[in-house]
Structure formats: structure tokens, C-alpha cells
Amino acid sequence: MVEERERERLAQEELVRKRIDEKGNKWRKVYFGGGAHFRNWLKQCRELGEVEVEEIDSTGFKCFEEAGEKLYRIWMKEEDEGKQK
């Protein structure tokens, strides 16, 4: 039963790939998870461009719930294709 709930949550998470903020900026999800892997990904992403972090409810992910660990999404801002660097 628990594994089924985790599979459902992961399937839902796979559907979350892009978003547009209130200013019309486009963002692409590049990471979902927590712990040391999250910190490593965040450091690398910050070196590449503008980043936003979103904390996610860990309900349904047994290992994260039991450890009291938080889950995160890392979003990278997509550059305007017409904009030159």
C-alpha cells in the first residue's frame, strides 16, 4: 500500500516540468529530492543561472516522512531566446 502511494506521488511529480511565474518568466524543473543530493544540485544550478527553490510536502514518501526530511524542487529560469548575453 505504501509503495503504491509513493509510485502515485512520483508519477504526479513527473507531470510537473515547467511553470510560468506572475511576471511571465518561464521556469524549468531540474531537480526533485532532498538531503545532500539537493544541496549538491542547488550549488551546481546556481553556477549556471537564476534558480528558485520550492519546498514540497513529503507526505506519501515514507523515507522522507520517517526521517522528517524536506523535499524540494529546483527551478531554473529559462532565458529568453531573443535575448543575447
Side-chain angles (χ1 to χ4, degrees):
M1 187 76 156
V2 172
E3 290 177 7
E4 183 178 329
R5 186 169 67 169
E6 288 178 3
R7 279 193 296 271
E8 287 175 15
R9 285 290 314 265
L10 284 172
Q12 290 171 350
E13 186 61 35
E14 280 299 313
L15 298 174
V16 179
R17 296 178 180 261
K18 294 187 176 201
R19 70 179 181 85
I20 299 175
D21 67 19
E22 64 280 347
K23 295 178 184 176
N25 296 311
K26 295 177 182 178
W27 297 83
R28 179 174 46 96
K29 183 179 77 174
V30 295
Y31 179 81
F32 171 73
H37 287 107
F38 162 74
R39 291 186 293 277
N40 185 42
W41 272 81
L42 182 59
K43 181 181 177 185
Q44 292 181 55
C45 289
R46 284 182 171 154
E47 292 176 3
L48 298 173
E50 191 171 342
V51 173
E52 282 192 1
V53 174
E54 178 182 14
E55 186 176 328
I56 303 300
D57 181 10
S58 64
T59 303
F61 295 100
K62 185 178 179 182
C63 61
F64 285 91
E65 285 180 303
E66 289 177 353
E69 192 169 328
K70 296 179 180 180
L71 280 171
Y72 300 94
R73 287 181 187 138
I74 298 176
W75 297 94
M76 294 281 309
K77 186 175 181 183
E78 293 184 353
E79 294 294 326
D80 184 0
E81 292 178 16
K83 185 178 177 182
Q84 293 183 357
K85 293 183 178 182

